[in-house]
Amino acid sequence: MLFLEVKNVSVKVGREKVVDDVSFSIKKGENVAIIGPNGSGKTTLLRALLGSVRYQGEVIWHEKPIIGYVPQKFDFDKTVPFTVEEFFLVYSRKSKGFWFPSHSALKEIRKCLSYVKAEHLIKKNLGEISHGELQRVLIAQAVFERPNILLLDEPTASVDVEGERTIYYLVREMVKDFSLTSIIISHDLHVVHDFADRVICLNRKMLCEGTPRAVLNKENLGELYGGDITVYKHEHK
Amino acid sequence: MDPNLFIVSAVIAGAASFLGVFVILRRLALVSDVLSHVALPGVALALLLHIDPFIGAFTALALVTVGIFLIERRFAISIDALVGVAFTVALAIGMILLPDEHAVEALFGDIAHIGKSDMLFGVILGALLIVVTFVLFKRFAHATFSKELSRDEASSDKKAELLFLIALALAIALGIKVVGTLLMGAMLILPVVAAKNIAWSLKSMTAFAVVLGVIEMVGGISVAQTYDVVPGAAIILIGGGVFAASLLFRAFGNQNT
């Protein structure tokens, strides 16, 4: 069943086309990875799906999307006391109240945090926790609204390798458990190989599309990133 | 202290420090202080035209804050640069228009001679600002923390920002009658920075800010009446003292953890 259709979408920033005539579709439950070099329009494409930038073309949702979004970075004043719990309450769209949250809302927050093994952080300040912990909190917050699609924009950009593996593992479990549809932007081709059902290669225009096995080959990657890039496949049991 | 004066000063302090939470969160501390001077030409014009100085002050502040909001978005000029321009221009206009004796009153307020109707007006508007900030707190916070997480709510964030600026203009204008525009800038900042030092969450920071704001204001006015000094100065000095104490508390607290 189709979930999302993107038809001839282009985005202009100033006079420059940063996304140029991109079309693809996503089925319900599919996990799609978008890869491409820096400045190739990946984040802009995601923002077009979120509806936060203007675009030409069509974005058709076949089911009302409830989007859980994990941004690349979350910049904020780290000196301000702002707890993880308050962060959930402020950034939840359903009005759950800020001053006097209900017991069920608090229980729900704990539950979301438990998916990413971060329950213990609930009363901590966002400024006190590590990058990896913050990223896990952002992921937990993204599923707080019970989304049917998860958009992840390089969720591990600021995390060390160990933290990165943990985060992808947790995301994969979550996507499976909730049978979510997901779109992930990643630099890490190994992760893409393990994680995605389908890969979209973007460098302003769409250069290739298909299963990781079919797409992640020397020619495509050479065209996408320039130079000589290969992915060393290691089979999983 | 006259109970009416107590009530009006407490309500205005509460409103200012409540809104001040977002002034500090947005790192607009100096901006808001400078902004409070923008009221001057408004007051001057109002005095020349024989209308209520509050209306003049609010009009000038609202025009400048909303103008800055629009120009910042349209031309991507930083907010402190814009406020710097607006402030100096406003001060120049104020100096030309404003007769001296009124300038002092507008800058420092005249709490000793505040009339009954002004008091009532102050209490009503102050209470209204408190209620609005309480109800819109989540939306104000949403628009404050991170641009990355504002997605389809982006337009509602813009509205929240605009509402916040208008509330800020009202709060500063409100200070004119009681404590003067100069002090109003301080009332937005001092209690909040002290609260930030001792708080463990956004909620506790807000609660401390409001309580400290009221204590500083009422305490300052009492001290001023007892020792016959300028109320504005007494309030600011108490606020500065409380801030110093909060720093000590933080230093001491950090040693323990």
Side-chain angles (χ1 to χ4, degrees), chain B residues 165-189:
Chain B
L165 289 174
I166 291 170
L168 194 62
L170 276 173
I172 296 173
L174 189 57
I176 289 201
K177 297 205 170 150
V178 190
V179 287
T181 52
L182 272 187
L183 177 68
M184 220 41 200
M187 272 325 285
L188 287 163
I189 303 166

Side-chain angles (χ1 to χ4, degrees), chain A residues 67 69 73-75 77 79-83 86-87 89-93 95 98-99 101 125, chain B residues 18 25 27 134 137-138 141-142 145-146 148-153 196 200-203 205-206:
Chain A
I67 300 175
Y69 174 52
K73 55 180 180 0
F74 181 70
D75 281 331
D77 184 348
T79 66
V80 170
F82 187 42
T83 66
E86 289 173 332
F87 168 68
L89 293 172
V90 165
Y91 284 96
S92 91
R93 254 173 297 179
S95 189
F98 176 77
W99 296 103
N125 276 322
Chain B
F18 203 175
L25 290 188
R27 298 182 171 236
F134 186 84
F137 194 89
K138 187 180 144 178
H142 190 286
F145 275 101
S146 179
E148 285 86 16
L149 271 186
S150 52
R151 32 193 174 188
D152 39 320
E153 299 99 327
K196 191 178 158 197
W200 57 87
S201 66
L202 187 57
K203 268 182 222 174
M205 174 173 147
T206 308

Side-chain angles (χ1 to χ4, degrees), chain B residues 194 197-198 212 238-253:
Chain B
N197 278 335
I198 52 179
L212 289 177
I238 291 180
V242 169
F243 174 69
S246 75
L247 274 182
L248 281 178
F249 176 87
R250 196 168 135 186
F252 187 68

Side-chain angles (χ1 to χ4, degrees), chain A:
Chain A
M1 199 177 96
L2 271 187
F3 187 76
L4 164 68
E5 270 182 281
V6 173
K7 284 185 182 169
N8 310 102
V9 164
S10 298
V11 182
K12 272 187 183 172
V13 175
R15 284 187 195 145
E16 210 179 345
K17 258 191 185 170
V18 290
V19 174
D20 190 1
D21 196 24
V22 170
S23 302
F24 60 89
S25 57
I26 294 177
K27 289 195 206 99
K28 200 169 164 56
E30 229 180 350
N31 301 306
V32 175
I34 301 176
I35 60 170
N38 287 332
S40 59
K42 303 180 299 274
T43 298
T44 310
L45 180 59
L46 221 54
R47 296 194 75 89
L49 299 183
L50 285 165
S52 58
V53 292
R54 266 189 216 183
Y55 56 86
Q56 294 164 310
E58 280 181 281
V59 173
I60 305 160
W61 298 96
H62 288 272
E63 192 178 304
K64 191 177 184 295
I66 302 163
I67 300 175
Y69 174 52
V70 182
Q72 203 174 85
K73 55 180 180 0
F74 181 70
D75 281 331
F76 61 100
D77 184 348
K78 289 194 166 48
T79 66
V80 170
F82 187 42
T83 66
V84 170
E85 182 185 297
E86 289 173 332
F87 168 68
F88 270 76
L89 293 172
V90 165
Y91 284 96
S92 91
R93 254 173 297 179
K94 283 182 253 161
S95 189
K96 290 196 164 100
F98 176 77
W99 296 103
F100 309 105
S102 64
H103 277 292
S104 63
L106 294 178
K107 218 170 117 187
E108 187 67 24
I109 293 174
R110 281 185 192 280
K111 202 166 135 198
C112 289
L113 285 168
S114 75
Y115 298 138
V116 291
K117 316 239 176 316
E119 267 170 296
H120 59 291
L121 301 175
I122 189 161
K123 295 286 176 196
K124 285 252 164 108
N125 276 322
L126 281 186
E128 292 169 359
I129 63 181
S130 72
H131 280 307
E133 286 173 331
L134 177 63
Q135 217 55 40
R136 279 192 274 160
V137 168
L138 288 176
I139 291 168
Q141 198 273 336
V143 295
F144 185 47
E145 309 278 341
R146 299 180 179 279
N148 50 18
I149 180 161
L150 208 54
L151 303 184
L152 303 134
D153 187 357
E154 290 189 53
T156 58
S158 56
V159 179
D160 59 30
V161 179
E162 201 44 53
E164 187 175 344
R165 293 214 179 109
T166 319
I167 283 169
Y168 279 113
Y169 173 77
L170 291 168
V171 169
R172 199 158 58 172
E173 290 292 299
M174 220 152 56
V175 165
K176 232 193 288 169
D177 288 351
F178 295 96
S179 45
L180 289 171
T181 308
S182 72
I183 302 178
I184 189 165
I185 292 179
S186 181
H187 270 306
D188 189 330
L189 299 179
H190 292 285
V191 165
V192 170
H193 206 272
D194 289 352
F195 187 83
D197 304 318
R198 206 142 54 84
V199 178
I200 289 167
C201 322
L202 190 72
N203 196 351
R204 301 195 176 200
K205 288 175 185 294
M206 219 166 92
L207 296 179
C208 56
E209 189 198 356
T211 61
R213 204 172 271 273
V215 168
L216 297 180
N217 57 40
K218 219 172 170 171
E219 289 139 54
N220 280 338
L221 294 176
E223 195 188 343
L224 188 61
Y225 291 98
D228 196 19
I229 297 172
T230 21
V231 177
Y232 295 98
K233 288 171 192 161
H234 51 129
E235 300 299 327
H236 287 266
K237 281 166 265 175

Side-chain angles (χ1 to χ4, degrees), chain B residues 6-20:
Chain B
F6 174 83
I7 291 169
V8 71
S9 55
V11 169
I12 290 177
S17 41
F18 203 175
L19 273 169

Side-chain angles (χ1 to χ4, degrees), chain B residues 39-257:
Chain B
L40 261 191
V43 172
L45 263 182
L47 290 172
L48 286 177
L49 299 173
H50 300 288
I51 52 174
D52 196 310
F54 171 82
I55 294 171
F58 171 67
T59 311
L61 283 161
L63 281 177
V64 168
T65 46
V66 174
I68 286 173
F69 170 80
L70 294 174
I71 293 173
E72 189 206 3
R73 262 145 215 279
R74 179 73 180 77
F75 298 103
I77 302 172
S78 77
I79 206 159
D80 50 344
L82 286 173
V83 169
V85 173
F87 156 63
T88 41
V89 171
L91 211 55
I93 298 173
M95 277 164 70
I96 293 172
L97 294 180
L98 198 62
D100 278 350
E101 65 269 34
H102 292 302
V104 174
E105 194 184 312
L107 284 175
F108 297 107
D110 191 4
I111 203 151
H113 300 109
I114 181 170
K116 273 256 156 28
S117 61
D118 281 351
M119 277 195 189
L120 190 65
F121 179 74
V123 169
I124 291 172
L125 187 56
L128 189 72
L129 284 174
I130 291 174
V131 171
V132 165
T133 313
F134 186 84
V135 172
L136 295 180
F137 194 89
K138 187 180 144 178
R139 285 185 60 187
F140 285 170
H142 190 286
T144 299
F145 275 101
S146 179
K147 298 246 187 293
E148 285 86 16
L149 271 186
S150 52
R151 32 193 174 188
D152 39 320
E153 299 99 327
S155 69
S156 107
D157 274 356
K158 260 181 234 164
K159 266 183 238 156
E161 208 161 331
L162 208 58
L163 275 171
F164 167 71
L165 289 174
I166 291 170
L168 194 62
L170 276 173
I172 296 173
L174 189 57
I176 289 201
K177 297 205 170 150
V178 190
V179 287
T181 52
L182 272 187
L183 177 68
M184 220 41 200
M187 272 325 285
L188 287 163
I189 303 166
L190 279 173
V192 186
V193 286
K196 191 178 158 197
N197 278 335
I198 52 179
W200 57 87
S201 66
L202 187 57
K203 268 182 222 174
S204 62
M205 174 173 147
T206 308
F208 280 131
V210 172
V211 170
L212 289 177
V214 172
I215 291 175
E216 287 167 17
M217 176 82 104
V218 173
I221 294 174
S222 308
V223 168
Q225 287 185 341
T226 314
Y227 297 99
D228 197 23
V229 289
V230 187
I235 296 166
I236 292 183
L237 288 178
I238 291 180
V242 169
F243 174 69
S246 75
L247 274 182
L248 281 178
F249 176 87
R250 196 168 135 186
F252 187 68
N254 285 351
Q255 259 173 16
N256 283 347
T257 50

